[in-house]
Amino acid sequence: MRHARPAQTHADPRQAAPEDHVRRDFTADAPNQLWVADFTYVATWRGFVYVAFVIDVFARRIVGWRASSAPNTSLVLDALEQAIHDRQPAKGLIQHTDRGVQYLSIRYSERLAEIGITPSVGRVGNSYDNALAETVIGLFKTEVIRRSGPWRHIEAVEFATLDWIDWFNHQRLPGPIGDIPPAEAEEDFHATLFESAKAA
């Protein structure tokens, strides 16, 4: 495992911001070792809509997302909760974000600690420290938001985002994982584990 879990995992969330445990190394040897998270905004006729994502680094799979009319802690926490519910990660997972107040809030930090997820944050104002999340958001903006706008309301953004994530996870062919869809990359990983266990 490339991203070893730090010794201190249940520190008081009101203390100083977490360290950067990733240091721009967006690689993982298995699913649910390292997640990255971020959110973006979409202009609609009724105001801004904010869309948060959680991405599993191993296969670049989007494992959680949420849209909201407010860029608050609930937005990013709801995306995290979806990822936790769908993935059921074991303790030892690292989640990396920028230093946005939403990700450093007491509610968010306490939830990470409760599940046993180690928080990691990049430096202030440095997008390269969360480059993988920025890349996925850039694809979302290019392939969905700019291509299909203008947007009328949050519901339209939600439906388009849901369709795009399904396509992204099951049909997109990312080069870093061998030009196969993220879902297929994870299936291959688990199949290899199963075959290795049978051989043993």
Side-chain angles (χ1 to χ4, degrees):
M1 177 172 164
R2 297 178 185 172
H3 295 282
R5 186 179 184 187
Q8 286 275 71
T9 58
H10 294 287
D12 186 336
R14 289 161 289 193
Q15 292 178 353
E19 299 177 33
D20 183 350
H21 299 296
V22 175
R23 301 187 184 279
R24 303 186 185 179
D25 179 12
F26 298 106
T27 56
D29 297 321
N32 297 330
Q33 282 186 354
L34 174 62
W35 292 351
V36 295
D38 203 355
F39 70 92
T40 188
Y41 65 91
V42 179
T44 77
W45 292 1
R46 298 182 186 174
F48 286 111
V49 171
Y50 301 87
V51 186
F53 295 93
V54 180
I55 302 119
D56 188 307
V57 167
F58 173 72
R60 274 55 175 172
R61 185 171 188 161
I62 298 170
V63 295
W65 72 280
R66 187 68 68 218
S68 173
S69 57
N72 53 23
T73 299
S74 293
L75 166 69
V76 298
L77 192 53
D78 285 348
L80 174 66
E81 292 292 359
Q82 183 187 38
I84 291 169
H85 178 269
D86 289 352
R87 305 288 282 192
Q88 298 292 310
K91 290 186 178 181
L93 168 67
I94 294 172
Q95 182 181 261
H96 185 76
T97 67
D98 61 23
R99 289 181 179 261
V101 294
Q102 300 87 348
Y103 294 109
L104 298 179
S105 68
I106 292 174
R107 282 175 61 208
Y108 199 88
S109 300
E110 286 179 339
R111 183 59 174 144
L112 292 177
E114 180 183 339
I115 295 298
I117 298 175
T118 299
S120 172
V121 296
R123 292 166 293 178
V124 175
N126 194 322
S127 61
Y128 292 107
D129 286 355
N130 202 17
L132 180 54
E134 297 273 354
T135 297
V136 171
I137 285 176
L139 293 171
F140 169 67
K141 297 293 281 282
T142 299
E143 297 174 353
V144 181
I145 301 308
R146 296 190 186 101
R147 180 175 295 176
S148 302
W151 299 93
R152 292 178 177 271
H153 41 61
I154 187 172
E155 291 83 4
V157 175
E158 285 179 319
F159 282 123
T161 304
L162 180 62
D163 285 345
W164 178 77
I165 290 173
D166 183 68
W167 174 82
F168 184 96
N169 284 341
H170 294 94
Q171 297 184 51
R172 193 174 231 291
L173 309 175
I177 62 168
D179 295 314
I180 61 175
E184 184 178 336
E186 289 192 344
E187 289 167 6
D188 289 349
F189 172 82
H190 292 298
T192 300
L193 279 187
F194 179 72
E195 290 301 323
S196 297
K198 276 177 55 179

